[in-house]
Each structure stands twice: as structure tokens, then as C-alpha cells.
Amino acid sequence: MKLHAPRRPATACEPHPLTVASLTLAAALSLAACGSMAPRYERPALPVAERFPVAPASDARAATATVELPWRQFFAEPRLQRLIELSLANNRDLRIAAANIESAQAQLSVRRADLFPTVGLGASGTRQSGRGGAATTGAAGTAGTGTGTAATAGGGSVTSLYTAGLTVSAYELDLFGRVRSLTDAALAQVAASEEARRTAQIGLVASVANLYYALASDEVLLSLTQRTLDTRRESLRLVQLRFDNGVTSEIDLRAAQTAVENARAVGAQLRRQQQLDRNALELLVGQGMPSDLPPASPWNPQALSDVPAGLPSEVLLQRPDVRQAEAQLRAANANIGAARAAYWPRISLTASVGGASTELSELFSNGTAWSFVPQLFLPLFDAGRNRANERLSEVQRDIAVAQYERSVQTAFREVADALASRLTLAEQLEALTAQADAEAARQRLTELRFTNGVASSLELLDSQRSLFAAEQQRVQVELALLQNRIGAYRALGGGLQE
């Protein structure tokens, strides 16, 4: 409905239009502070065992403190720390994750704005023929009404109306929590995007460390391959002399040549892998390798501390990806409330206060005009749309529950794999170290026998091949052990704090 104010100012016996508007706004805001129709949120039970397998019990507090160790303390090498700093500053995936947070925050601001009325200035002008002729209308938004007529040459009349003032657009009274539920869902999405950025950071720190140690192992293997190539070339030279003097056969000569070419091929493969690892590391760092990096530390398979084994599975709840899945579950739960609120009436208010006149020159000289227009909409028949929306939101909630449980199970497996692998890797490294020492001793003895003419060149080449293979495997397992500790640290949510 629209109420037309008289052309005289309000007296003491009449409520001032601004007072009426203020009371209306206060009433609307108080009515908007209502609860939600969303179901009560309950965190699903962890679909995993209470403790990780192949892991003895230990002090959970001490274990958690180790997991929460800042990455600067876990990765103590200055060169690696510098690379991680650069990656956190320049990595594009991390920038995308940060931008997604800003996008979710903007969406939240839009939803929160729906909880408050929209107030603006509006002005309009209308001239219309009494016989249904053309009308001229200005900007929309009326503060009040007033009309005036004038005769036209054709015998009809022209009606004029000019309005200007403050306008409160259609504002929904959130009596059943529809807007509040949508706001809660947007808030949960902000939390999910923040956890996604933390997940990206943890993965980035771990990936930089993995590639850094992979590059370091490439250097060790290249040095080992070069030493092996030099040894085999020296052996080829001796076999060539013996062949030239008729002491050994061509089979021994060809075998020595094969060993040399094999070492050359391994060296070429390692150089290619080294460049690929460097390219991957530069992609994570977001730029080329700086020239002012601190010097690299010597290769040390024990450079990283071990992660405690006796952790309860509840520590998985601190992983950002698990918290992200839970935030998305909360958002889906809130959307159910918005869908259920659609069954109930929707009340909106429109109000305005300002001036109105039939003459543009007298727009603000004829007193104050105001209008107050409440609207109510109650859905009676929608061909099942509201029921379908509610069912859709419930199904999406069930999907979010399954995704949350899958995130927990995936996290549990990653931690369990890391804890299970470290025991066998340590045993494997111990065995390979003993094997490499034994092969080194065998090669020294074979070289003495070969020099004294007791052993053949084939025996010497066999001892060289065995030593080279054992040393290669030892370095590879040393790298696997380092990366296993990095994986356990990442899988438990480490690498976030600085």
C-alpha cells in the first residue's frame, strides 16, 4: 500500500516519517535475527582405526609437538630453506589458492549484505496522457506520490508526477533463516578455501624438499658414475695392452669396452634426470635458480629427523585437507536450511521517504512524502521445485560426508604407508651399506689378483659391476629414506608454520 502525505509539515500529534522509517528498519533488523532451519551439524566418526598399524604406542603430546615443528627447524639446511622461501613467495599454485580465498570472502560479503536493507537515493518523473498516450518516465525509485493534470489540444489531460528521496529496496525479513543459512554456507566455503591454501603450502614445502634431495642424489650418483667410468677406462687400457701382447682374448677386450660404454650411458641418463629435476624445482620455486644461494651441504642421509611412530589417528583432524573437507560438509549442511526455508512465506519490505510534487520546481517545497510497501509470498504450487531443491541439498550433504570420510581414509593411508616404509627402508639401507662394503673389498682383492695374473679380466669386470650396482642402490635407498621422512612430515600436516 502507499500512503500520501499532506502538503503541510508534520505536527506534534503525528509521527514523523523519518521516525516511522527508523522504527520499521529496527523492527526488520530484529526480526532478521532468527535461527536456521539447517539440521544440527555433527562431525562424522573417523572411519579408520584408532592407531596406525606397525607403530608402537608413544607419548601423543610429544609426537604432536614433533609434527607441529616449523619447517625451518625440520629443514635446517640454509640452501633448502632459501628455496622454500622463494617458492612460498613466487609459486603460482599458491597464488591461485590465495586468490580463491579472496573470491570466497567476497562471496561471503555479498551474502552478509543480504542480511541488511539496501538504502539509496531515487528520483523519477512521469508525464502521461489521460487517453492512454505515450508517457515519459525518469529514473526509478519513488519516495511518495502526487499528481497534477493539464488539458491538451486534443481534449485529453496530461498527468505529471515528480519524486525524489531515500529508498529502501525490497528487503527480505529472514524469519525462517534462509538468508542466514546461505551466509553460513558462504562462511564455511571461506574456511574451506583457507584450508585449501594451507594444503597447497604443505604440499609445496614437501615437493621442494623432495626435489632438492633428488638433485643432491643426482650429484652423488653422477660423481659415483664418473669414478666408475674412470676405473673402467683404466681397466680397458690394461686389457688392451694384454690383448695387444696376446695375453688375453678378444672376448675380454669386448667385455671391457662394454663396461665402459655402459658407464657412459648411465652418466648420460643421470645428467638428463638431473636437468629434469632442476626444471621441476624451478617451476615450484617460480623462477630460475638464484646465483646467491647458500652452498649445498654434503650428502647426508640422516639430515632429517624422524617422525614419531606412536601417533593416534585423531591427529589427522589437524590436516588442512581434512579440515577443508569438513568445512565443505558444513556448507552443504547449511544449504539444507536454505532449501527448507523455501517452503515458508517470504516477507519483503520496501519503504521510501522524500519529496513529491506535480511541478518539478516545487519538488522539495511541499512537505515530506513517504511510502511503506510490505509484500508476502507463500508458495502454494511449484511443480515440486522446492522439494527437489531440498532433496538436492540433502544428496549434496551425503556426498560431502563421503568426501570427508574419503579424505580421512586417504590421510590415514598416507601416514600408515610412511610409517610402514621407514622400518623396511632403514633395514634395506643397512643391508645395502654392508653389501657395498663387501663389494668394495672384493674389488680390491680382485684387482690385486688381476695385477698378479691370477684373476681374469672378466672377474675384474664382474666385481666392478657388482660394486657399482650396490653403490647406486645404496644412494637410491638413502634418497628414499629422506623422502619417506618428508612424506611422513607432510602427511601429518607438517610444513605450515614458519
Side-chain angles (χ1 to χ4, degrees), residues 1-8 14 17 142-147 161-163 352 354-358 366-373:
M1 62 180 176
K2 292 186 177 180
L3 302 178
H4 305 284
R7 293 179 178 271
R8 54 185 175 84
E14 298 175 337
T142 62
T145 61
T147 60
L161 174 64
Y162 304 97
T163 62
S352 61
S357 176
T358 58
N366 292 326
T368 302
W370 58 273
S371 68
F372 177 70
V373 185

Side-chain angles (χ1 to χ4, degrees), residues 131-395:
R131 292 183 176 179
T136 304
T137 305
T142 62
T145 61
T147 60
T149 60
T152 62
S157 61
V158 176
T159 302
S160 301
L161 174 64
Y162 304 97
T163 62
L166 291 176
T167 300
V168 177
S169 61
Y171 166 60
E172 179 179 349
L173 297 181
D174 197 23
L175 299 179
F176 302 99
R178 188 187 73 87
V179 179
R180 179 69 62 182
S181 294
L182 293 175
T183 303
D184 292 341
L187 181 61
Q189 289 295 344
V190 171
S193 61
E194 290 175 346
E195 298 300 340
R197 189 204 64 80
R198 294 187 178 100
T199 301
Q201 176 175 328
I202 289 175
L204 178 61
V205 170
S207 297
V208 170
N210 277 327
L211 284 172
Y212 175 79
Y213 286 111
L215 268 174
S217 69
D218 292 339
E219 291 287 348
V220 175
L221 289 172
L222 274 172
S223 177
L224 171 63
T225 303
Q226 186 59 48
R227 292 198 306 269
T228 301
L229 180 60
D230 294 341
T231 300
R232 292 183 178 181
R233 281 174 174 169
E234 178 62 20
S235 299
L236 175 60
R237 187 185 67 83
L238 295 176
V239 172
Q240 184 70 53
L241 288 175
R242 290 194 171 195
F243 176 75
D244 293 340
N245 292 297
V247 177
T248 187
S249 65
E250 185 178 356
I251 294 178
D252 295 337
L253 177 62
R254 299 308 178 191
Q257 291 174 343
T258 299
V260 169
E261 298 305 323
N262 175 261
R264 285 184 57 203
V266 172
Q269 179 184 2
L270 288 173
R271 286 191 296 273
R272 180 175 67 253
Q273 186 61 49
Q274 182 185 43
Q275 188 58 50
L276 294 177
D277 291 340
R278 182 182 296 275
N279 293 341
L281 183 57
E282 289 180 352
L283 176 62
L284 294 180
V285 172
Q287 64 177 60
M289 290 295 180
S291 58
D292 59 346
L293 286 175
S297 301
W299 174 254
N300 180 15
Q302 303 298 327
L304 302 178
S305 59
D306 207 353
V307 175
L311 291 172
S313 58
E314 284 81 1
V315 299
L316 298 177
L317 297 178
Q318 302 304 315
R319 278 183 42 145
D321 58 336
V322 175
R323 293 202 298 261
Q324 177 188 358
E326 185 176 6
Q328 291 171 339
L329 174 57
R330 288 181 180 274
N333 195 73
N335 284 329
I336 295 178
R340 290 177 177 176
Y343 288 107
W344 299 91
R346 186 179 301 179
I347 301 175
S348 61
L349 303 177
T350 300
S352 61
V353 59
S357 176
T358 58
E359 299 293 337
L360 185 61
S361 60
E362 300 178 358
L363 181 59
F364 297 104
S365 61
N366 292 326
T368 302
W370 58 273
S371 68
F372 177 70
V373 185
Q375 292 180 336
L376 183 144
F377 174 76
L378 176 63
L380 298 178
F381 175 74
D382 60 1
R385 179 182 291 106
N386 287 338
R387 175 54 190 158
N389 285 332
E390 181 186 11
R391 179 55 184 159
L392 174 62
S393 63
E394 291 174 348
V395 171

Side-chain angles (χ1 to χ4, degrees), residues 430-441:
E430 181 181 358
L432 286 173
T433 301
Q435 179 185 356
D437 293 341
E439 291 293 348

